[in-house]
Amino acid sequence: MASAGEANVSVSHVEKKEKKQTPARYWKEPRGEKDGNDHEEDGGKTLHQEEPRPQTTKKRKQDESPAVGKKFISGKSDPFPGQAPIPEDRVQKFKRKDKTKKHRRQHYKLKAMITCSEEVSEMAQKQAAKFDLLLPEDAGFLEGEEEEDTCLISQEDIADAVDITAGAKYFNLKLSQFGPYRLDYSRTGRHLLLGGRRGHVACVDWLSKQLMCEINVMETVNDVKWLHSEAMYAVAQKKWLYIYDSNGIELHCIRKFNDVLRMQYLPYHFLLATASAKSFLQYLDVSVGKEVAAICTKTGRLDVMCQNPHNAIIHLGHPNGTVTLWSPNQKEALVKMLCHQGAVRSVTVDKSGIYMVTSGMDKKLKVYDIRALKPLKSYFLPAGASCLSLSHRGLLSAATGDIVQVYKDVWSTAATKPYMAHRTRGAVWGLHFCPFEDVLGVGHGDGFTSMLVPGAGEPNFDGLDANPYRSAKQRQEWEVKALLEKIQPELITLDPNELGQVDRATFEQRHKDRVEALGYDPLAQKRFIPKYKKKGRSSAGSIERRKKQVAHEDQRDIIRQTVEDKVKMEKQRNEREKKKAVLNSSRAALDRFKK
Amino acid sequence: MTPLSIPSFSYQMKVKVLSRNPDDYVRETKLDIQRVPRNYDPTLHPFELSREYTRALNATKLERVFAKPFLASLDGHRDGVNCMAKHTKSLSTFLSGSCDGEVAIMWNLTKHECVRTLQAHEGFVRGMVVRYCGTSFFTVGDDKTIKQWKMEAPGYGEEEEPLNTILGKTVFTGLDHHWQEGVFATCGQQVDIWDEQRSSPIRSFTWGVESFSSIRFNPVETEILASCASDRSIVLYDMRESAPLKKVIMTMRSNTLCWNPMEAYYFTCSNEDYNLYTYDMRYLDQPVTVHMDHVSAVLDVDYSPTGREFVSASFDKTIRIFPKDVGHSREVYHTKRMQHVICVKWSSDNKYVLSGSDEMNIRLWKAYAAEKLGVLAPRERQAINYNQKLKEKFQHHPQIRRISHHRHLPKSIYHQTKELRIMKEARRRKERNVRKHSRPGTVPVVSEKEKHVVTVVK
C-alpha cells in the first residue's frame, strides 16, 4: 500500500544518483507508474491517522523527518511512514453513535466536555479497530466449482475434505425410541442438551462426545433449555417446569409454571421466559427463583417463541398469523404484527436485533426489519418451513419436513437457492446453530444430527463473555461477575440504549406522571375560600367581592401587558394612518396638471 | 502454526470449517495465567449500557458501604484544641495548641501518638505556625507573647526553652508566617508584620478596626496578606505598602480565611452566618461562590493542597468538605462525641483531614471517605478508576444520585437544616409578595451572592 510519503522520498538526492538499484520489494510500486494516483484510490478505503505534512523550512527538518518517511543512516527510507492506516469499515464496526451536534448557545464548559468525550470515544474506536486486525481466526466458507451448487455437496464430502477434528463434528445420533428431539446448545457452544418428546433427556459435551448425564423423566418433554451455565438446565415437562443439574438430579419443580411449551433464556437478565399452552407468558428469575412477571396473552396456545438477543424482547407467533413482542414490564404486547395469512410456524431474530425471519402455514418465509417494523423480503417455500434458526454470522436454516436448508444473505439479496441442504431421517423437530462453531444441530424423529455449515459461527469469541475453553475456575469467576451485573428486568425495552438518552419528556407529560404517582396535583392552586367574617360582612355579595379581588391574580400581569401592548399598537397604527392621510391630502406642485 | 485454516481442494470445492486448536486457547502449564482471548465486537456484547449502568449502581452502593472516614482520635490535651499547624516538611508531624491546658503538642500521625509537649503560654494558645523551613515554629498566646520554638526536642538534661520571646503590648489572636522569608505577621488589635530578627514590628496596619481574628499570607503572591476583622470586614494588605489595600464589609463577621494554594487569587472565608464565601481578590464586590450547608457558625476552613476542595469546621459539631466551585458540600463528617469543631486542617498529601474540637480531641479523617488506604495492586487501581468513571457517567440517573448523595445526619442537624430551609423559603415568599404588591422596580431582585456584601472600601 503506497502512501503520500513515498512519492516525496523517491525524488530525494539518493535516488538521483542511481548509484545502486535496490532490488524491487513487494511494497514498492513498479517504477514506471509512480505518481499520486494510487494514493487517491486508497484514500476512499483507509483512514490515514496523520497526513505527513509537507516540509516547510530546513531548520525544522530534524524534528519532522521521522514523520515524513524516516531516513536511516543507510539512506533507505521508511516505506510505511506515519501511523498505520485503519480500514474504514472496521472503524465503522465499532462506532457507537454519531457525533453530537453542537449548538451555538451551549455553555462553553458543556461544549468542552462533549469534545473531550468524543475524542476519547474516537480513540477507543480506533484502538478497537486496530485490535480487530489481530484477531486470530477467520470465518469458514464453502465454495463449489463454477456452476456447481454448494447445496448439492453432501455432508460426508465436507467431512472428508476438512481436517479430522472438524470432520468429527459431523455425526448422527440414532435415537429412534424416544423420538422427536428438541435441543439446545449452551452459550459457550460446548454443551448440548437433548430432550426427546417421550421423556429422554441427555446432556453431552458434544466436542469430546462425553455424556454428562442421561435420564428419562417418564413424562412428555416439550422443551429443554440450558440456564446460565452448563451446570443447570430447565425441562418443560407435561405438567410443570423442572430444573435439573448436569448430573441429572432434579433441583426444582416449579409448579407455578404449568403446561410450558416453549422456553427462552435471557442470559444477561438471568430470566427464563416460558410460554404455556394456557396462553401465559411467564418470566422466572433463575438467580433468586422468583417469578418476575406472568402475562396472560389471551391468544391461545403459545408454541412459537423466540427472543431478540439485542434487546431481550420475547417474540411470540400465533395461529392467527400475528407475531407479538413482549417485555416483562407491560401486560399488553408492545407490538402486534400481522405477518402471515395462516398460522405462524416459526420465528427467529438475528443477533443484531434488526431482522426477524418468520415462516407460516401459508408456506411463506418473510424477513422483517423490526426496528422499522417493515417487511423486507418474502420467499415462497413449497413445503413451508417448520423450524427456523439464525446463526451468529447471519445464516438462516429452515426445516421443511425432513430436509434442512441453509440460506445465505436472506435480507440483503434475494436468495434463490439454498446454500446447503441435508436430508434427515425423520421430521425435524428442533434446529439450533452452535455458537462459535460451524455446526448446526438438528433434532428430528430419529435422533440428532450435527451438520457442518461452513461460515455459520463467529470465529473469534470473547473470553470474558462466553469462552468455550474456560476452566472451572474461570467459569466460577465469570458466574460471580455475571451475577453482579445482572440486568434488572425493568430495563428491558425495545431500544436498549434508551437508558443513555436524555429524558426530554415535556413538562406536561412529566406533570401528568407526577400527578399519577402522587395521587394529587402538587401544583394545583388552592381554591380561595374567603374567611368568615361577622357583623354581616360575610354576606353572599361581599364574599363574591372578596373573591373577585384575588381572581386570576397570576394572570393579571400578562393581561395587563397584553392590553397595554394592544393600546400601543392601536396608537401607532392611528399615527401611521394620520400621516398617510396628510401625505395624500397635500397636493404637490405637479398635481395641478392631473385631470 | 494453526492447523485450523486448511482449505482443502478435493472434490473440486473449497471449504473451510472453523476448527480451533485448543492449545491456542488454554494455558500450557498450571503455572501460567489463563489465556483470555478478547473480541471487542459490539454485537458480541449486547446490553452494553444496561450492564454499565448496573455496574455503576453496584459501584455507588459499594462506595457507600466502604465510606468509613473516621480513622483515629488523638487524645492528650487537657482542654479544647484551639489551634493546629501542619509541618511544612514532614507529613507525619503535626502540631496543636490547646485552650487553657497551655500546651503545644507535637504529634506523630503514623503512630497516633504524642511525641512532645511543652508549656508555651499562660492562657489560650491563640495561633501557631511552622516556619517555612520546618526547623522551628511560632506560637502566640493570651499572655501577649510571641514565642519561637525549635522543632527538635531539647537534649537530655536541657530545659525546654523558646528560641526567642517577644513581649507585645496587646493580646495576639492570630499568626502566620511568610512562605519564603523570615517574616511573620500577627493580628490582634492591629496587624503587625515582624522580622524574625527584631523585637518590634517592622510595620503595623490599622483601619479603624479594634480587633482582628485571623491573618493569612498569600502562598503565591507572597507579599499579600488577608485578615478577618471584627467589624465584619475582610481586609487585604500588601506588605510592601504602608496602608492596607482594600476591604470588603459583609453582613456578618468572618472567622477565618484560607487562600486557595493553586489559584491564589481566590480565598475562602468562614462566616458567622453559617456560610462560607469564596472571593476573588481582584473583584471583592461579590463572592464567586456562596457555600451553604452548615447549620451554625463556621469556625475554620482549610484548602486541600490540590486547591480543588476545602474543608470547613463548624460550631454545629460537624466538618464538611466542599468542592471549591460548588455551593453545597459533598461530604459531612460527624461523630457522637465530637463537640464544636474549632480548627481543621487538610493534610499536605491530600489524603487526610484533621479536626480539633472542644472536647480535647484531635480527630483524623480520610479526605475521601470510601478511599482504600495503602498500596493498591495495579488491577485494584484499574478497577477503582473504572468504577470512578462509571459513577461519573451515570451520576445524574435518579437511583444512583439518590444513593450517592445520601448522608446520615444527627437528628438535631437534620431538623435544623429542615427548619432553615423552611425559613429561607418563607423569606423568599415574603419578598416575592412584597415585590408583587409594590410598584415595579422598587423591590429589586437581589441574588444570594449580592445579599451578603455590604460594601467594598478601597
Side-chain angles (χ1 to χ4, degrees), chain A residues 94 96 137-138 140-141 143 145 161 163 165 169 436 438 458-460 462-463 471 484-485 499-500, chain B residues 4 8 12-16 18-20 25 34 37-40 44-45 48-49 53-55 58 397:
Chain A
F94 294 98
R96 298 306 205 283
E137 306 277 345
D138 295 319
F141 58 85
E143 282 167 22
E145 193 79 338
D163 59 311
T165 47
K169 287 173 189 169
F436 309 115
D438 284 344
E458 171 67 44
N460 296 295
D462 190 279
S471 64
L484 271 177
E485 57 190 53
L499 194 64
Chain B
L4 24 138
S8 167
Q12 298 93 36
M13 62 172 177
K14 286 188 207 164
V15 61
K16 191 213 149 184
L18 276 182
S19 155
R20 301 187 184 89
Y25 296 96
Q34 297 281 6
R38 300 301 312 269
N39 185 357
Y40 298 104
L44 284 182
H45 302 275
E48 230 173 19
L49 204 68
Y53 174 76
T54 315
R55 281 180 202 158
N58 288 342
H397 285 250

Side-chain angles (χ1 to χ4, degrees), chain A residues 510-522:
Chain A
R510 262 183 292 168
H511 182 67
K512 227 164 87 185
D513 291 346
R514 209 166 145 208
V515 171
E516 212 166 90
L518 290 172
Y520 68 95
D521 188 355

Side-chain angles (χ1 to χ4, degrees), chain A residues 101-118:
Chain A
K101 269 186 201 158
K102 272 181 220 163
H103 295 291
R104 250 187 306 152
R105 292 168 69 191
Q106 262 169 0
H107 195 263
Y108 70 98
K109 275 187 184 169
L110 179 65
K111 267 187 197 169
M113 227 173 348
I114 290 171
T115 2
C116 181
S117 77
E118 259 168 15

Side-chain angles (χ1 to χ4, degrees), chain B residues 189-435:
Chain B
Q189 287 186 4
Q190 77 260 7
V191 170
D192 294 324
I193 314 285
W194 306 75
D195 195 321
E196 277 175 11
Q197 312 302 329
R198 302 186 188 187
S199 58
S200 57
I202 49 173
R203 191 150 289 155
S204 288
F205 298 105
T206 47
W207 197 351
V209 191
E210 63 278 11
S211 154
F212 292 89
S213 60
S214 154
I215 182 146
R216 301 302 288 270
F217 271 98
N218 189 320
V220 173
E221 205 56 59
T222 47
E223 313 295 317
I224 285 177
L225 299 113
S227 72
C228 300
S230 64
D231 71 336
R232 302 168 296 149
S233 66
I234 298 164
V235 193
L236 295 180
Y237 310 91
D238 191 331
M239 217 171 75
R240 297 160 292 196
E241 287 181 27
S242 57
L245 287 175
K246 52 185 171 179
K247 69 174 173 184
V248 53
I249 300 176
M250 302 174 70
T251 47
M252 294 276 263
R253 191 163 67 89
S254 297
N255 285 318
T256 46
L257 61 79
C258 185
W259 292 95
N260 186 332
M262 283 294 151
E263 297 166 300
Y265 37 87
Y266 289 134
F267 64 87
T268 301
C269 60
S270 58
N271 206 290
E272 286 279 313
D273 65 358
Y274 312 173
N275 296 341
L276 292 116
Y277 301 95
T278 300
Y279 276 100
D280 189 328
M281 184 174 91
R282 301 161 295 183
Y283 315 105
L284 287 176
D285 41 353
Q286 70 174 38
V288 180
T289 322
V290 182
H291 309 274
M292 294 186 268
D293 265 354
H294 278 298
V295 293
S296 192
V298 191
L299 299 182
D300 199 8
V301 59
D302 192 35
Y303 262 96
S304 78
T306 57
R308 303 182 69 83
E309 287 179 319
F310 61 83
V311 59
S312 67
S314 165
F315 199 73
D316 63 10
K317 304 174 186 175
T318 61
I319 60 177
R320 281 181 186 269
I321 297 174
F322 293 85
K324 70 154 202 264
D325 45 9
V326 176
H328 290 277
S329 61
R330 74 156 170 86
E331 195 69 79
V332 53
Y333 294 160
H334 55 85
T335 66
K336 248 182 193 169
R337 296 183 181 185
M338 187 161 72
Q339 295 301 312
H340 315 303
V341 194
I342 294 178
C343 47
V344 73
K345 286 273 181 255
W346 197 306
S347 76
S348 311
D349 57 351
N350 196 26
K351 281 201 166 166
Y352 306 99
V353 164
L354 288 127
S355 68
S357 47
D358 249 0
E359 76 330 318
M360 307 181 271
N361 276 324
I362 297 168
R363 287 191 168 75
L364 184 63
W365 308 86
K366 284 195 267 184
Y368 303 95
E371 192 188 25
K372 196 187 169 212
L373 297 178
V375 183
L376 293 179
R379 278 176 66 190
E380 222 171 351
R381 161 70 44 214
Q382 219 172 12
I384 286 171
N385 289 346
Y386 177 65
N387 283 342
Q388 192 57 40
K389 197 74 200 167
L390 282 180
K391 278 183 265 179
E392 214 173 279
K393 182 174 175 185
F394 291 97
Q395 61 185 335
H396 298 298
H397 285 250
Q399 207 180 359
I400 286 174
R401 221 171 91 111
R402 187 182 64 82
I403 295 168
S404 66
H405 282 210
H406 175 78
R407 294 287 179 280
H408 175 253
L409 281 175
K411 204 173 171 185
S412 60
I413 294 175
Y414 179 76
H415 286 296
Q416 249 170 311
T417 316
K418 228 164 142 185
E419 205 178 305
L420 283 174
R421 199 185 308 135
I422 292 167
M423 281 159 69
K424 203 174 160 194
E425 180 55 32
R427 243 177 272 136
R428 209 168 65 89
R429 197 171 51 236
K430 177 159 190 182
E431 199 188 341
R432 203 175 54 215
N433 285 341
V434 167
R435 191 172 302 123

Side-chain angles (χ1 to χ4, degrees), chain A residues 125-166:
Chain A
Q125 197 179 326
K126 277 182 184 160
Q127 275 182 344
K130 269 186 190 170
F131 182 80
D132 208 41
L133 297 166
L134 302 175
L135 291 178
E137 306 277 345
D138 295 319
F141 58 85
L142 173 64
E143 282 167 22
E145 193 79 338
E146 305 95 66
E147 283 144 35
E148 188 204 359
D149 277 345
T150 49
C151 65
L152 296 177
I153 299 169
S154 72
Q155 284 292 312
E156 282 81 11
D157 290 347
I158 295 174
D160 284 345
V162 297
D163 59 311
I164 192 160
T165 47

Side-chain angles (χ1 to χ4, degrees), chain A residues 122-264:
Chain A
E122 199 174 326
M123 192 190 73
Q125 197 179 326
K126 277 182 184 160
Q127 275 182 344
K130 269 186 190 170
F131 182 80
D132 208 41
L133 297 166
L134 302 175
L135 291 178
E137 306 277 345
D138 295 319
F141 58 85
L142 173 64
E143 282 167 22
E145 193 79 338
E146 305 95 66
E147 283 144 35
E148 188 204 359
D149 277 345
T150 49
C151 65
L152 296 177
I153 299 169
S154 72
Q155 284 292 312
E156 282 81 11
D157 290 347
I158 295 174
D160 284 345
V162 297
D163 59 311
I164 192 160
T165 47
K169 287 173 189 169
Y170 166 65
F171 61 93
N172 282 299
L173 298 177
K174 193 162 179 291
L175 306 160
S176 50
Q177 211 178 345
F178 299 106
Y181 277 85
R182 297 279 303 169
L183 76 151
D184 186 39
Y185 283 104
S186 67
R187 276 192 68 218
T188 56
R190 276 301 282 247
H191 303 275
L192 171 70
L193 181 61
L194 291 169
R197 180 110 194 108
R198 303 197 185 98
H200 177 219
V201 177
C203 41
V204 192
D205 184 345
W206 69 273
L207 275 173
S208 59
K209 314 276 192 310
Q210 264 181 343
L211 187 66
M212 292 161 77
C213 81
E214 190 175 25
I215 50 171
N216 197 319
V217 297
M218 309 295 279
E219 246 184 345
T220 314
V221 168
N222 288 322
D223 201 2
V224 287
K225 211 83 201 166
W226 284 112
L227 296 186
H228 60 280
S229 71
E230 55 273 12
M232 272 194 279
Y233 57 89
V235 180
Q237 296 181 18
K238 188 184 171 195
K239 194 128 197 223
W240 292 312
L241 177 71
Y242 289 80
I243 290 176
Y244 297 91
D245 78 350
S246 55
N247 296 324
I249 297 163
E250 181 187 318
L251 298 175
H252 300 288
C253 164
I254 303 164
R255 302 215 168 113
K256 263 194 171 175
F257 290 63
N258 53 341
D259 305 306
V260 174
L261 294 180
R262 288 286 177 268
M263 294 187 290
Q264 282 295 331

